[in-house]
Amino acid sequence: MERLMGGGVLQLLLASAGVLLLYRILVRLRPGAPLKDAVVVITGASSGLGKECARVFHAAGARLVLCGRDAARLEKVVQELTACSTGSQKQTYTPSTVIFDLADTDTVDRAAEEILKCYGQVDVLINNAGISYRGNILDTHISVHRDVMETNYFGPIALTQALLPSMIRRRSGHIVVISSVQGKIAIPYRSSYAASKHATQAYFDCLRAEIDRHGIAVTVISPGYIRTNLSVNAVTGDGSKYGVLDKNTAMGRDPSDVAQAVLKAVRQRSKDVVLAGPLPCLAIYLRTLWPALFFKLMSSRARKEQKPKDE
């Protein structure tokens, strides 16, 4: 192994792994922040990970503001949460809803005003809504790149910036963004998606540094594949739906498990969390420490796929 990777690179990987292990141990010992009565805003709350986040934060006693484009689907989530809490000894709150399209940034300021009217403040903002993409760059129209960026990047930062002044005035708040492992490494046939998530990672890393003095936390969560309809609803190069539950997505993490990890990250005010298996985590290190090998592996993957089929 040492011959293959080179002694220096191997030592760096082992040292990094040791530091990461120590960090995780210290994080487990750190007391979690209480969420009872906290006002938690979740975008993309009508399905998938957003819906599961609504479940776990509702069970924790948070006052929820659920956001999405479809009023009927959001109302169904509210009814399900209310039914689940019936008879429970824990105090829970009936969630509020705010309907808007995150991709239409012109409506975000109005939506932020509605969100603040619900409880007068926002303690935790979870930027979860997003769209995926499957396509060959050569066959992808520039409008598709723009549409993915509007939903995955411009929408979340517009909402964050609209709510941020209220947090700064209170010197309290927590901003969470659900990014992706593809915000740290780029793989073939995901250009629009990976680009939007790389931009997201960079923006919220900058934001964390700039608002730390105001007592506001920023958490970037980067999951691998999650067992949701993200790939089914993904757009292709011509803007049409991909319409396929691909193999890796079908074998991905249970969204309820990821939601619990989000809850834990919020309680511990974590800064950057990668929720992925050993290979994606190794790829992240490889991209930094041995980029030539990483690029070679990605080129080989692209040649094998030729086009995005069952990935």
Side-chain angles (χ1 to χ4, degrees), residues 121-159:
Q121 67 188 58
V122 172
D123 296 302
V124 182
L125 167 62
I126 301 178
N127 289 295
N128 165 74
I131 188 170
S132 193
Y133 156 89
R134 303 286 191 276
N136 186 318
I137 289 175
L138 293 175
D139 300 326
T140 300
H141 196 275
I142 191 66
S143 63
V144 172
H145 293 298
R146 289 196 179 102
D147 289 344
V148 173
M149 289 295 289
E150 286 288 350
T151 299
N152 290 357
Y153 177 70
F154 287 110
I157 71 169
L159 183 59

Side-chain angles (χ1 to χ4, degrees), residues 70-149:
D70 191 319
R73 292 174 68 188
L74 281 180
E75 186 55 35
K76 185 176 180 182
V77 174
V78 171
Q79 291 172 1
E80 289 177 8
L81 295 179
T82 303
C84 287
S85 60
T86 301
S88 173
Q89 294 182 347
K90 292 183 179 180
Q91 182 184 8
T92 57
Y93 299 91
T94 301
S96 300
T97 60
V98 176
I99 314 303
F100 70 105
D101 185 352
L102 196 66
D104 183 0
T105 52
D106 292 336
T107 68
V108 169
D109 285 343
R110 174 197 57 77
E113 291 177 4
E114 289 189 35
I115 288 169
L116 288 170
K117 285 178 182 177
C118 292
Y119 297 105
Q121 67 188 58
V122 172
D123 296 302
V124 182
L125 167 62
I126 301 178
N127 289 295
N128 165 74
I131 188 170
S132 193
Y133 156 89
R134 303 286 191 276
N136 186 318
I137 289 175
L138 293 175
D139 300 326
T140 300
H141 196 275
I142 191 66
S143 63
V144 172
H145 293 298
R146 289 196 179 102
D147 289 344
V148 173
M149 289 295 289

Side-chain angles (χ1 to χ4, degrees), residues 28-39:
R28 290 193 187 102
L29 297 176
R30 187 169 60 195
L35 282 168
K36 188 178 182 304
D37 302 329
V39 178

Side-chain angles (χ1 to χ4, degrees), residues 154-183:
F154 287 110
I157 71 169
L159 183 59
T160 296
Q161 292 189 187
L163 294 173
L164 189 56
S166 67
M167 292 184 176
I168 291 176
R169 283 193 296 270
R170 297 175 56 241
R171 296 192 63 80
S172 176
H174 193 159
I175 297 167
V176 180
V177 60
I178 307 299
S179 183
S180 168
V181 167
Q182 292 179 51

Side-chain angles (χ1 to χ4, degrees), residues 178-217:
I178 307 299
S179 183
S180 168
V181 167
Q182 292 179 51
K184 297 179 178 293
I185 56 173
I187 64 176
Y189 306 113
R190 304 290 191 277
S191 58
S192 293
Y193 184 74
S196 69
K197 294 301 185 179
H198 272 69
T200 296
Q201 178 80 51
Y203 172 89
F204 284 93
D205 282 352
C206 292
L207 181 67
R208 183 187 302 109
E210 292 183 23
I211 65 175
D212 178 68
R213 67 184 186 276
H214 297 294
I216 300 168

